[in-house]
Amino acid sequence: MRRHRMAQSGEKVLVAVSGGADSVALLDILSRLQEELHIRLHVAHLNHGLRGSDSDEDARFVEALCSDLGMPFTAGRKDVRAFVREQGFSLEEGARIVRYRFLKDVAEQVGAARIATGHTADDQAETVLFRLLRGSGVKGLGGMHPVREERFIRPLLAVRRWEVEQYLTGRKLAFRCDRSNEDPAFTRNRIRRELLPLLRDRFNPNIVRTLVRAAAILRDEDDFAERETALALDRIAKKREKRKIVLDLPSFLEYHRALRRRLIRRICGELAQSPGFEETERIMRLASGQGGMLRAASGIRVQRAGDALLFKLGETPAFRVAVPIEGGIALPELEARLITSVFPRASSEESSWRSDATCAFFDRDTLAGRLIVRNREPGDRIQPFGMKGHKKVKDLLMDRKIPRILRDEVPVLCDAEKIIWVIGMATHEACRVTSRTERVLKVLKREA
Amino acid sequence: MRRHRMAQSGEKVLVAVSGGADSVALLDILSRLQEELHIRLHVAHLNHGLRGSDSDEDARFVEALCSDLGMPFTAGRKDVRAFVREQGFSLEEGARIVRYRFLKDVAEQVGAARIATGHTADDQAETVLFRLLRGSGVKGLGGMHPVREERFIRPLLAVRRWEVEQYLTGRKLAFRCDRSNEDPAFTRNRIRRELLPLLRDRFNPNIVRTLVRAAAILRDEDDFAERETALALDRIAKKREKRKIVLDLPSFLEYHRALRRRLIRRICGELAQSPGFEETERIMRLASGQGGMLRAASGIRVQRAGDALLFKLGETPAFRVAVPIEGGIALPELEARLITSVFPRASSEESSWRSDATCAFFDRDTLAGRLIVRNREPGDRIQPFGMKGHKKVKDLLMDRKIPRILRDEVPVLCDAEKIIWVIGMATHEACRVTSRTERVLKVLKREA
């Protein structure tokens, strides 16, 4: 507890107790350390409803245990099978998700800063093998952390399962046996009951300790590389929004291959979810190749364009918003806002009314009806400032080399008749401020 | 071959051929690519003498194969059992060492820049498991490199064993079966025949590909971290000699735990050999703890002293060398040399004859007989410059806070009667340059 600073004085710790050996030992140990560590305990038990009356008896067992210890207790019941049916997870994975959600909810209800689970060194070894067999990089092979998200703590992670059992025998404590731990339909049970015994008997009698050590080293290695990745991302991100991250491509390509791979995984993870091996490699090839665009399974599109490597989640949602002549509106879809004002034309030079990427000027009296701002639509046209004919907005974007995956987020400002500003690109020739202009409309685009 | 730039045009490649399926396929493929890649081939076969007449038949088989292909061929024979008995390796490990030595020797004899071996993706998966079971960090879990030390190349490392067999069948090529591949006394055979089939049948039908991929990622991760380690070592090494490396301790402690661990392993590797898990952790604790000294199994001593973390291999060998009055001598034991000269005292201030850490001045005519330089010995004493009484050299070193593990390398310069210079520390009061001095002896200590 102390070495990993698992709990601070005065904190409340929620103890997840299934009724099995590990969690009963955990509860007993924590209840004995309660005063010394100045922590308060609360017990949570989830009935997954997977084993009928057995599950119910587990719940009653834990309740009785808490009542003996005078420990506050919250029981819950979830229909894991229904959840799994709906979400398409495996029963193992589904039970895990439901359990952690329950624990977080109870922790919030009772005001617990930490959630303690009874995972042991044997669980750790099983986790490492589980992830190796499923195909995992450094992160996965590091196994479980003694402390995760500062909240989940695993005080028994360095303790062997036989030590837990010895402890329970010594303390004459009863516990429940979960018969689903023997069901070979669960990968973890096959690892525990078939693989680990083979490894121990035929290869390495200390296999659990060996795997736990390897995991500890790999966790440190992963942490180091992740810190370097975070620093690199801060250095080379030109834009970092909720649905869009843009990297400086030459800087990206200067990083080591391993860090590039981690950058890709981290960026996709920030936008939606980290890609698997094949998808990461595809993005790696795109970045170091000749350009182009690809769609990842998570809905992220990646494009290499000029000096930029763009990651964008989904299409920009459609929007169409009325814009007041004086005031401001938010464009949450673009993480931007528009600010408008009208004022008399001063005697300044015509050139001072020149629009740029974030600011445009119009002759107020050339505008027809109310203003709206909306996404670009197919067929949009404009007569750009300084030109004679009309031009398709699409062609305008291509001329300006706007990357394909960003084109759907270019907004246009319209009056009742026409597009007056392809924002950031071009204003309409007919609305320009001239020597005859009396009132000027100024529109500013700012980040939200 | 091309992707990993395994051989350059015009190079000679030594192909290691055991006669088994993998190496026969490798030889056939390379011989067919010979012209296209502009490489020349030479075959090497080592008879380990482990399987009696079977081994001899393997050798005859490879010889016949080369003669059919018109390929130059070198056969060798080593008594692996005798080697293993002498050196205490396992038979597996011993055979590997002997084989690689043989291949390096033959490559040198025939002028081959590369040595190709027939390792497949299946061998790679076995290697990853082998190392995981033995306890290995990122480096080990990365498995074999497609190219190692620029010299060893493994063109079939991405190819499955069943693909090799299919290729041989298609080309109607014969090969030899090594029955020792079935001997369960060898860990590798147990991995191949017991563990991998279990993993494939009960956990993951693509287990080989999964492990090969994990290894590829881990190799990149390891390479990244090793580069960072090399950069860090360049930054924080205050001294880097063959038998001694000194780090700036505060800078060392600023690095991430994973990098500190790698720095320790790398430094010890440069001096003698990388330590295992426990020893690395002991050095980690020493470095971040309250000081002290420890001895590693490899003969490296590590000491924390002031702002320095010192790594030193072995004691400094004893030496005793005559020093000419004018000229120079080498002190290979200290990676240093002494340069001497004699000249008339000019009229300059006495203070300009003040000695320092690398330069000392003496009144030539106070010196008795020939000069020698030797290690410090127990009982050594000197009357230091500016002091009245004598002092033990040991006390002098302690006063100067010379770290314990460096004290054995402090040399002393003596005339026939006394120590005249504890080099770098103190000169003898009786030999000082005074206004009565006529001839000055100057001694410089320089790095070798």
Side-chain angles (χ1 to χ4, degrees):
Chain A
M1 288 289 287
R2 288 229 178 77
R3 193 172 138 220
H4 293 287
R5 291 191 205 84
M6 285 188 176
Q8 281 162 15
S9 186
E11 278 181 340
K12 187 182 276 192
V13 176
L14 185 70
V15 191
V17 181
S18 66
D22 301 341
S23 60
V24 168
L26 174 68
L27 178 60
D28 189 65
I29 291 167
L30 287 181
S31 76
R32 294 170 75 190
L33 288 174
Q34 209 170 350
E35 288 194 22
E36 191 188 337
L37 295 171
H38 299 287
I39 53 176
R40 289 161 301 142
L41 302 178
H42 189 106
V43 172
H45 174 84
L46 179 66
N47 186 339
H48 297 78
L50 291 173
R51 290 171 297 116
S53 64
D54 255 20
S55 296
D56 299 337
E57 280 174 45
D58 287 351
R60 278 194 293 277
F61 171 82
V62 177
E63 189 171 3
L65 182 64
C66 291
S67 132
D68 285 353
L69 289 165
M71 195 79 77
F73 170 65
T74 303
R77 190 185 186 102
K78 302 276 172 194
D79 188 347
V80 172
R81 274 192 222 285
F83 175 78
V84 162
R85 258 196 310 276
E86 281 161 28
Q87 305 282 330
F89 291 110
S90 74
L91 199 54
E92 246 172 320
E93 181 71 2
R96 207 183 63 84
I97 293 171
V98 167
R99 188 164 56 245
Y100 275 92
R101 279 193 196 159
F102 167 74
L103 291 173
K104 282 183 182 181
D105 288 348
V106 178
E108 202 158 312
Q109 283 161 33
V110 304
R114 314 278 174 162
I115 301 170
T117 58
H119 294 105
T120 61
D122 296 72
D123 293 313
Q124 179 73 305
E126 291 160 16
T127 301
V128 172
L129 289 172
F130 185 84
R131 297 195 183 158
L132 180 77
L133 296 173
R134 233 181 26 180
S136 182
V138 180
K139 195 178 301 301
L141 298 179
M144 296 178 278
H145 286 246
V147 176
R148 184 167 64 90
E149 295 168 28
E150 292 195 6
R151 182 154 55 162
F152 291 96
I153 60 176
R154 292 165 174 141
L156 303 184
L157 203 53
V159 178
R160 290 295 308 273
R161 194 169 284 143
W162 63 262
E163 294 176 297
V164 165
E165 280 158 17
Q166 215 169 41
Y167 175 86
L168 292 172
T169 309
R171 299 266 303 154
K172 297 195 178 64
L173 287 168
F175 56 91
R176 301 273 304 165
C177 289
D178 181 346
R179 267 194 266 133
S180 72
N181 283 340
E182 296 175 19
D183 185 348
F186 296 118
T187 308
R188 273 206 174 263
N189 295 343
R190 290 203 303 281
I191 290 174
R192 182 182 311 125
R193 300 173 59 84
E194 298 175 30
L195 182 53
L196 272 167
L198 174 80
L199 297 180
R200 185 191 60 219
D201 298 341
R202 298 287 286 159
F203 294 95
N204 178 350
N206 288 314
I207 185 65
V208 168
R209 204 171 57 141
T210 299
L211 291 173
V212 165
R213 273 183 181 179
I217 302 257
L218 288 167
R219 277 201 306 279
D220 279 344
E221 292 276 335
D222 179 58
D223 186 65
F224 163 65
E226 273 306 294
R227 285 185 201 201
E228 294 297 313
T229 307
L231 289 173
L233 186 52
D234 286 345
R235 269 187 229 117
I236 69 173
K238 303 207 278 193
K239 269 209 179 105
R240 204 161 165 182
E241 297 170 2
K242 219 160 45 184
R243 304 169 64 86
K244 179 170 74 184
I245 293 176
V246 181
L247 300 186
D248 180 64
L249 183 59
S251 309
F252 174 78
L253 293 174
E254 270 170 27
Y255 282 104
H256 190 280
R257 188 177 172 75
L259 216 60
R260 296 206 302 275
R261 204 180 264 127
R262 280 182 179 266
L263 278 164
I264 289 171
R265 292 181 55 84
R266 190 183 185 99
I267 287 166
C268 293
E270 280 188 15
L271 294 173
Q273 66 182 52
S274 292
F277 178 86
E278 285 295 356
E279 212 157 87
T280 308
E281 296 307 302
R282 279 171 60 214
I283 300 174
M284 290 284 278
R285 284 194 294 273
L286 173 81
S288 53
Q290 288 307 308
M293 206 263 273
L294 67 78
R295 268 167 216 281
S298 53
I300 296 170
R301 287 173 300 160
V302 188
Q303 191 180 351
R304 180 183 157 137
D307 267 3
L309 184 63
L310 301 107
F311 295 78
K312 190 171 176 220
L313 177 62
E315 314 276 330
T316 302
F319 60 93
R320 169 178 292 265
V321 190
V323 180
I325 284 293
E326 299 209 57
I329 53 137
L331 290 174
E333 296 82 358
L334 302 176
E335 300 185 40
R337 58 206 163 89
L338 293 185
I339 301 149
T340 49
S341 53
V342 173
F343 44 83
R345 184 175 70 83
S347 57
S348 31
E349 291 284 309
E350 202 171 319
S351 65
S352 69
W353 305 112
R354 185 69 52 91
S355 302
D356 64 21
T358 60
C359 176
F361 300 98
F362 305 94
D363 182 329
R364 169 71 187 91
D365 299 303
T366 62
L367 303 176
R370 293 180 61 191
L371 299 181
I372 61 153
V373 62
R374 60 166 174 80
N375 311 71
R376 178 177 72 90
E377 284 167 7
D380 276 348
R381 302 167 70 88
I382 190 171
Q383 183 190 354
F385 185 96
M387 280 181 61
K388 289 215 167 121
H390 278 71
K391 191 160 187 167
K392 281 189 193 159
V393 172
K394 187 182 161 197
D395 294 338
L396 195 72
L397 299 182
M398 284 176 68
D399 290 351
R400 293 291 199 96
K401 297 204 171 25
I402 303 301
R404 189 142 59 103
I405 64 174
L406 298 187
R407 286 184 204 154
D408 68 0
E409 64 182 52
V410 173
V412 296
L413 182 67
C414 316
D415 69 8
E417 289 165 356
K418 58 191 176 294
I419 291 173
I420 64 167
W421 190 22
V422 180
I423 295 182
M425 306 286 146
T427 51
H428 200 293
E429 173 65 20
C431 309
R432 69 190 296 170
V433 176
T434 67
S435 54
R436 290 182 303 280
T437 301
E438 288 173 9
R439 292 185 300 164
V440 173
L441 168 69
K442 178 183 180 185
V443 187
L444 279 171
K445 183 195 169 205
R446 289 283 176 263
E447 283 180 26
Chain B
M1 288 287 288
R2 288 227 179 76
R3 193 171 137 221
H4 292 286
R5 292 191 204 85
M6 286 188 176
Q8 280 161 15
S9 187
E11 278 180 340
K12 186 182 275 189
V13 177
L14 185 70
V15 191
V17 181
S18 68
D22 302 341
S23 61
V24 168
L26 173 68
L27 178 60
D28 189 65
I29 291 166
L30 288 180
S31 76
R32 294 170 75 189
L33 288 172
Q34 209 170 353
E35 287 192 25
E36 193 188 333
L37 295 172
H38 300 287
I39 52 175
R40 289 161 301 142
L41 301 178
H42 189 105
V43 172
H45 174 83
L46 180 66
N47 186 338
H48 297 76
L50 291 174
R51 290 170 297 115
S53 64
D54 256 21
S55 296
D56 299 338
E57 280 175 44
D58 287 352
R60 279 195 292 276
F61 172 82
V62 176
E63 189 170 4
L65 182 65
C66 291
S67 133
D68 286 353
L69 289 164
M71 195 77 78
F73 170 66
T74 303
R77 189 185 188 101
K78 302 275 173 196
D79 187 346
V80 172
R81 273 191 223 284
F83 175 78
V84 161
R85 257 196 312 274
E86 281 161 28
Q87 305 281 329
F89 291 111
S90 73
L91 200 54
E92 248 173 319
E93 181 72 2
R96 208 183 62 85
I97 293 171
V98 167
R99 188 163 57 246
Y100 276 91
R101 279 192 196 160
F102 168 74
L103 291 172
K104 282 185 182 180
D105 287 348
V106 177
E108 201 158 311
Q109 281 160 33
V110 305
R114 314 279 175 162
I115 301 170
T117 59
H119 294 105
T120 61
D122 296 71
D123 294 313
Q124 179 72 306
E126 292 160 17
T127 301
V128 173
L129 290 172
F130 184 83
R131 297 196 182 159
L132 180 76
L133 296 173
R134 234 181 23 180
S136 182
V138 180
K139 195 177 302 298
L141 298 178
M144 295 177 278
H145 286 247
V147 176
R148 183 167 66 91
E149 295 169 27
E150 292 195 7
R151 181 152 58 161
F152 291 95
I153 61 176
R154 291 162 175 144
L156 303 184
L157 203 54
V159 178
R160 291 294 308 273
R161 195 169 283 144
W162 63 262
E163 294 176 296
V164 165
E165 280 159 16
Q166 215 168 42
Y167 175 87
L168 291 172
T169 309
R171 299 266 303 154
K172 297 196 177 62
L173 286 168
F175 56 91
R176 302 272 304 165
C177 289
D178 181 346
R179 265 192 267 133
S180 71
N181 283 341
E182 296 174 20
D183 184 347
F186 296 118
T187 309
R188 272 209 176 261
N189 295 342
R190 291 203 303 279
I191 290 175
R192 181 184 310 126
R193 300 173 60 84
E194 299 175 30
L195 180 54
L196 272 166
L198 174 80
L199 297 180
R200 186 190 59 219
D201 297 342
R202 298 288 286 160
F203 294 95
N204 179 349
N206 288 315
I207 185 66
V208 168
R209 205 169 56 140
T210 299
L211 292 174
V212 165
R213 273 182 181 179
I217 302 254
L218 289 167
R219 277 200 306 279
D220 279 345
E221 293 276 335
D222 179 57
D223 187 64
F224 163 65
E226 274 305 295
R227 283 186 202 203
E228 294 297 314
T229 308
L231 289 173
L233 186 52
D234 286 346
R235 268 186 230 117
I236 68 173
K238 303 206 277 192
K239 268 210 181 106
R240 204 161 165 183
E241 297 170 3
K242 224 162 41 187
R243 305 168 64 87
K244 178 172 75 185
I245 293 176
V246 181
L247 299 186
D248 181 66
L249 183 61
S251 310
F252 174 79
L253 293 174
E254 272 171 24
Y255 282 104
H256 190 281
R257 187 176 172 75
L259 215 59
R260 295 206 303 275
R261 206 180 262 127
R262 281 182 179 267
L263 277 166
I264 289 170
R265 293 181 55 83
R266 191 184 184 97
I267 287 167
C268 293
E270 280 188 16
L271 294 174
Q273 68 182 49
S274 292
F277 177 86
E278 285 296 356
E279 211 157 86
T280 308
E281 296 307 302
R282 276 172 61 214
I283 300 174
M284 290 282 279
R285 284 193 294 273
L286 173 80
S288 54
Q290 288 308 308
M293 207 263 274
L294 68 78
R295 267 166 218 280
S298 54
I300 296 170
R301 286 174 301 161
V302 188
Q303 191 182 351
R304 180 181 158 139
D307 267 2
L309 185 63
L310 302 108
F311 295 78
K312 189 170 177 222
L313 177 62
E315 313 275 329
T316 302
F319 59 94
R320 169 178 292 264
V321 190
V323 180
I325 283 293
E326 298 209 56
I329 53 137
L331 291 173
E333 294 83 357
L334 302 175
E335 300 185 41
R337 60 205 160 90
L338 293 185
I339 301 150
T340 47
S341 53
V342 174
F343 43 84
R345 185 176 70 83
S347 58
S348 30
E349 293 284 312
E350 203 171 321
S351 66
S352 69
W353 305 113
R354 184 69 52 89
S355 302
D356 64 20
T358 61
C359 177
F361 300 98
F362 305 94
D363 181 328
R364 169 72 186 91
D365 298 303
T366 63
L367 304 176
R370 295 180 59 191
L371 299 180
I372 62 154
V373 61
R374 60 166 174 81
N375 311 70
R376 179 178 70 92
E377 284 167 7
D380 276 347
R381 304 167 70 90
I382 190 171
Q383 182 191 353
F385 184 96
M387 279 179 62
K388 287 214 171 120
H390 277 72
K391 190 160 189 168
K392 280 190 196 160
V393 172
K394 187 183 160 195
D395 294 338
L396 195 72
L397 299 182
M398 285 176 67
D399 290 352
R400 293 291 200 94
K401 296 203 174 20
I402 303 300
R404 191 142 57 104
I405 65 174
L406 298 188
R407 286 185 204 156
D408 68 1
E409 64 182 50
V410 172
V412 294
L413 182 66
C414 316
D415 68 7
E417 291 165 353
K418 58 191 174 296
I419 292 173
I420 64 168
W421 189 20
V422 179
I423 296 182
M425 306 287 146
T427 51
H428 200 293
E429 171 65 18
C431 310
R432 70 190 296 172
V433 176
T434 66
S435 54
R436 289 179 307 279
T437 300
E438 289 174 8
R439 292 183 302 163
V440 173
L441 167 70
K442 178 182 180 186
V443 186
L444 279 171
K445 183 194 169 204
R446 289 282 176 264
E447 283 179 25

